[in-house]
Every structure is written in C-alpha cells, then in structure tokens.
C-alpha cells in the first residue's frame, strides 16, 4: 500500500531510538506525561526525548508561546508528545491558537484521530476530526470593536483539498477495520455551503470504496446516538468544530475523558505527528497526583503504533483495558500499567 493517506502503521526506525519532542505543558500535563514515558520504557521501546518548556506558565514567565525556530526544529523529529496546555491567568486563545493550533496548522496535522472504546467493550469507534480548517482556521475579525455597532465574524473555511484528504483517510481507516463502516457527521441541512462541499466530496470518494458501507448523521442527532446507541458507530468523519464537541461527548460515554486519547496526524509523514490526551490541564487538581494518566498513556501507545511499534502499542492498550482496576495516584496507575506489560 503506497497511498500516503494510509492509516496503517509506519515501520520502526530500525537502528536508532525514536526522537520525540515532549511538551509536558501546564497543570496535570507533566504528571500524566511522566507516566506515559514510564510505560513506553517498560514496554521496551527506546525513545530519545527532547523536552520543550511551553504553555501558559512559560508564557507568563517570558512571553514566549511558540516561535517559528522551534517549529523548524520539530520538523526533524519523529513525533511530539504533549500533556496539556492552558493556565487560568492567560487570556483565552493565546495558548490555544498560539501553541496548539499553530502546531496543528504549521505541521499540517490534518487528521485528529480519537478512538473510543467502552470499558465493557459494548462500543468501539473512532472519530476522524478534520484538524486544519473549518471555524478553527481563524477567518474573520472585528469591525467597530467596542462600539454599540460592533460586528464580529468567524467564518468556516472548507477547501476541497482539505476535506478530501481527511475523508479519504477516514475511508482507508474504515476499510482496515472489520466492520468497514463510515458515518459522516455534519449539519448539511443548515450549513448548506460547507455541508454541500463535504457531502459531495464524501459521496465521490465513497465510489472508490465500494467495500465500505456509509451513513450520514446530522451532528445534533449524533449527540443522541452517542448517548443512546454508540455501538452503531465504527468510524466517523466530521469537521473540526463538530469533532471537537463530539469527542468530549465520546469521552464521557466511554469511561470518562480521563481515558480519551488522540493523535494529531500528518498521514503524509512530511513531518512529525503530535499525540495528546483529549483532556485539558485541569489546574484545580494539578500537582496532587490525582489525574488519571491513562489518556496520556494511550496517546503514547497511539504514537508508538504510528511509529511502527505496533506490538508495543497493542501490549500497552491491553494493559490499560481493565480500567476498573487502574486506581490510585497518577504514579500508582502508571506503575500498575507498567507492571502489566
Ligand atoms: C481539543 C481542545 C482544543 C481544541 C483547544 C484546547 C484549542 O479542546 O484538542 O479538543 O479545541 O481543539
Ligand atoms: Mn476539545
């Protein structure tokens, strides 16, 4: 399979350890990443890590969010692993747009892959969220800001290329799974421009995948199905903002957000992909060893899979499967998972 959009694993970079940039970040980020790295080492995979002190705390210290030179340095890495970023004292958007979204956009991490497995195994689906366009693209601005006649617009940018590469990735992923089923989620009945482009692209790409069964749900209806019948899903593909919202719900119905992992992927492999738990920095419990590190550990497993370490990834996932028994402090849960490998 030579298709660059293939979701299948890469091959191990034999002969040398994988080079991984690590951004522990803010709040519980460093604590959960420490456990993820502990588990990777226990699985027998050697990483050469480079630490980057970035996030809200760093910004408050010296004003640095993320400079272009650092992004250039990252291009030579195999992957990035991020804990969580965000501090209450920083205005909204500074870290989100300046760090997280800059990573996604500059490194062209156009697929955000978020798997959801019910602890009792009654559902097992993956959301493929478009990760570089939509309302996240930053289109819009203010007019007459601060006056009674203020106007604010925030457009949704959808390119044929951007939608198609994401949809194609989702079809490849669906094809690789036993059920071979792909649902597009959007709001085509209201977002008649963006939705039309998504639907036409989806339908055209579908003709190339006759072995993949397809469905369509409006995003509001999908919220009901996520709660009432999540087992109907196999792979879902959706736009950036819908995917953001749906994947928090996906976490909530799959054992909690403390288990939800994600990969921000550059499937073309023109640079490193970035792996992070879906949860945030949870400043209220930071430094108390209360955070569940499983989301970070499973994100590291996804990273290993992408780097061609499928066996280690599978062993880590298996060690995390019995979530009810993974209790205790952040470090204790990391130790338990490591001991089960
Ligand atoms: C996520 C987060 C981010 C997003 C924020 C922190 C910018 O909520 O990864 O889901 O909206 O994508
Ligand atoms: Mn989110």
């Amino acid at each position: 399979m030579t298709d660059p959009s293939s979701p299948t694993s890469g091959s191990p970079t034999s002969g040398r350890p994988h080079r991984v940039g690590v951004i522990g970040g803010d709040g519980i980020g460093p604590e959960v990443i420490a456990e993820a790295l502990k588990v990777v080492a226990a699985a027998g995979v050697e990483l050469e890590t480079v630490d980057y002190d970035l996030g809200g705390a760093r910004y408050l210290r010296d004003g640095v969010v993320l400079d272009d030179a650092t992004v250039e340095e990252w291009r030579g890495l195999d992957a990035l692993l991020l804990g969580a970023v965000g501090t209450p004292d920083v205005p909204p958007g500074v870290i989100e747009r300046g760090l997280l979204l800059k990573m996604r956009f500059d490194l062209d991490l156009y697929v955000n892959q978020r798997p959801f497995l019910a602890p009792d195994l009654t559902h097992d689906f993956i959301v493929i969220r478009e990760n570089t366009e939509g309302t996240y693209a930053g289109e819009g601005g203010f007019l007459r800001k601060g006056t009674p006649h203020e106007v604010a617009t925030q457009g949704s940018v959808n390119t044929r290329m951007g939608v198609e590469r994401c949809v194609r990735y989702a079809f490849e992923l669906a094809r690789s799974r036993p059920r071979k089923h792909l649902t597009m989620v959007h709001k085509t009945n209201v977002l008649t421009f963006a939705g039309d482009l998504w639907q036409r692209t989806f339908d055209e790409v579908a003709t190339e995948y006759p072995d993949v069964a397809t469905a369509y749900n409006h995003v509001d209806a999908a919220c009901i199905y996520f709660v009432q019948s999540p087992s109907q899903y196999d792979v879902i593909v959706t736009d950036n903002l819908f995917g953001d919202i749906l994947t928090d719900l996906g976490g909530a119905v799959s054992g909690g957000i403390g288990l939800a992992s994600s990969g921000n992927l550059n499937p073309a492999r023109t640079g490193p992909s970035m792996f992070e738990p879906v949860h945030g920095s949870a400043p209220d419990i930071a430094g108390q060893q209360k955070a569940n590190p499983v989301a970070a550990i499973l994100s590291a497993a996804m990273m290993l899979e992408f780097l061609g370490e499928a066996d280690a990834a599978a062993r880590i996932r298996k060690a995390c499967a019995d979530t009810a028994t993974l209790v205790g402090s952040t470090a204790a849960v990391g130790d338990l998972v490591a001991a089960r490998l």
Side-chain angles (χ1 to χ4, degrees), residues 116-138:
F116 297 99
L117 178 64
D120 64 2
L121 308 183
T122 49
H123 67 255
D124 173 4
F125 65 88
I126 301 181
V127 176
I128 297 302
R129 161 186 176 188
E130 200 293 319
N131 214 30
T132 57
E133 300 193 342
T135 43
Y136 278 67

Side-chain angles (χ1 to χ4, degrees), residues 30-156:
E31 293 165 58
V32 296
I33 288 301
E35 300 315 310
L37 292 175
K38 179 195 282 178
V39 168
V40 169
V45 178
E46 205 187 333
L47 301 182
E48 185 186 311
T49 58
V50 192
D51 282 315
Y52 290 90
D53 175 16
L54 294 170
R58 167 77 190 270
Y59 171 72
L60 290 173
R61 214 165 55 242
D62 65 7
V64 171
V65 180
L66 173 60
D67 47 45
D68 291 333
T70 304
V71 177
E72 286 316 305
E73 202 176 299
W74 285 345
R75 292 188 198 279
L77 298 174
D78 297 317
L80 290 151
L81 185 63
L82 183 143
V85 290
T87 343
D89 315 329
V90 179
V94 174
I95 303 299
E96 290 85 348
R97 293 213 78 88
L99 179 55
L100 207 52
L101 298 190
K102 185 175 166 65
M103 288 174 89
R104 291 176 182 169
F105 293 171
D106 287 10
L107 297 171
D108 209 18
L109 308 178
Y110 64 85
V111 162
N112 196 326
Q113 181 159 330
R114 297 183 160 177
F116 297 99
L117 178 64
D120 64 2
L121 308 183
T122 49
H123 67 255
D124 173 4
F125 65 88
I126 301 181
V127 176
I128 297 302
R129 161 186 176 188
E130 200 293 319
N131 214 30
T132 57
E133 300 193 342
T135 43
Y136 278 67
E139 196 231 22
F142 296 107
L143 192 61
R144 303 190 289 264
K145 189 175 180 186
T147 74
H149 299 278
E150 176 165 352
V151 179
T153 64
Q154 191 101 41
S156 175

Side-chain angles (χ1 to χ4, degrees), residues 114 129 136 243-245 247-248 278:
R114 297 183 160 177
R129 161 186 176 188
Y136 278 67
D244 175 50
I245 299 164
T247 53
D248 268 24
V278 175

Side-chain angles (χ1 to χ4, degrees), residues 99-323:
L99 179 55
L100 207 52
L101 298 190
K102 185 175 166 65
M103 288 174 89
R104 291 176 182 169
F105 293 171
D106 287 10
L107 297 171
D108 209 18
L109 308 178
Y110 64 85
V111 162
N112 196 326
Q113 181 159 330
R114 297 183 160 177
F116 297 99
L117 178 64
D120 64 2
L121 308 183
T122 49
H123 67 255
D124 173 4
F125 65 88
I126 301 181
V127 176
I128 297 302
R129 161 186 176 188
E130 200 293 319
N131 214 30
T132 57
E133 300 193 342
T135 43
Y136 278 67
E139 196 231 22
F142 296 107
L143 192 61
R144 303 190 289 264
K145 189 175 180 186
T147 74
H149 299 278
E150 176 165 352
V151 179
T153 64
Q154 191 101 41
S156 175
V157 176
N158 299 264
T159 71
R160 170 69 197 217
M161 178 281 294
V163 174
E164 183 169 332
R165 64 184 180 173
C166 176
V167 163
R168 209 169 267 287
Y169 179 89
F171 270 103
E172 287 288 333
L173 180 63
R175 172 175 272 176
S176 76
R177 290 166 60 86
R179 277 178 65 189
K180 301 190 196 311
H181 189 275
L182 177 63
T183 305
M184 179 179 121
V185 171
H186 208 282
K187 187 74 185 176
T188 55
N189 54 343
V190 173
L191 305 185
T192 49
F193 312 130
D196 192 71
L197 172 57
W198 270 82
Q199 188 72 69
R200 274 183 288 118
T201 305
F202 186 84
D203 292 346
E204 282 172 36
V205 175
T207 63
E208 296 172 39
Y209 294 85
D211 51 328
V212 176
T214 60
Y216 170 80
N217 293 159
H218 292 316
V219 64
D220 45 355
C223 289
I224 297 177
Y225 303 141
F226 263 49
V227 174
Q228 290 188 348
S229 56
S231 62
Q232 77 187 67
Y233 293 116
D234 180 19
V235 180
I236 290 171
V237 65
T238 191
D239 111 316
N240 207 338
L241 183 60
F242 296 146
D244 175 50
I245 299 164
L246 268 184
T247 53
D248 268 24
L249 186 54
V253 298
S254 309
I257 201 79
L259 305 179
S261 59
S262 81
N264 297 260
L265 309 180
N266 170 341
R269 297 177 190 264
T270 56
S273 292
M274 187 268 275
F275 300 83
E276 55 166 343
V278 175
H279 65 65
S281 58
D284 51 323
I285 57 163
Q288 300 172 37
Q289 287 284 307
K290 284 184 180 167
N292 187 346
V294 169
I297 292 169
L298 291 174
S299 301
M302 207 190 292
M303 174 181 81
L304 295 187
E305 170 119 46
F306 199 77
L307 293 175
E309 305 283 358
D311 174 65
R315 283 186 290 123
I316 294 174
R317 275 196 292 268
K318 190 161 172 253
C320 290
D322 191 4
T323 51

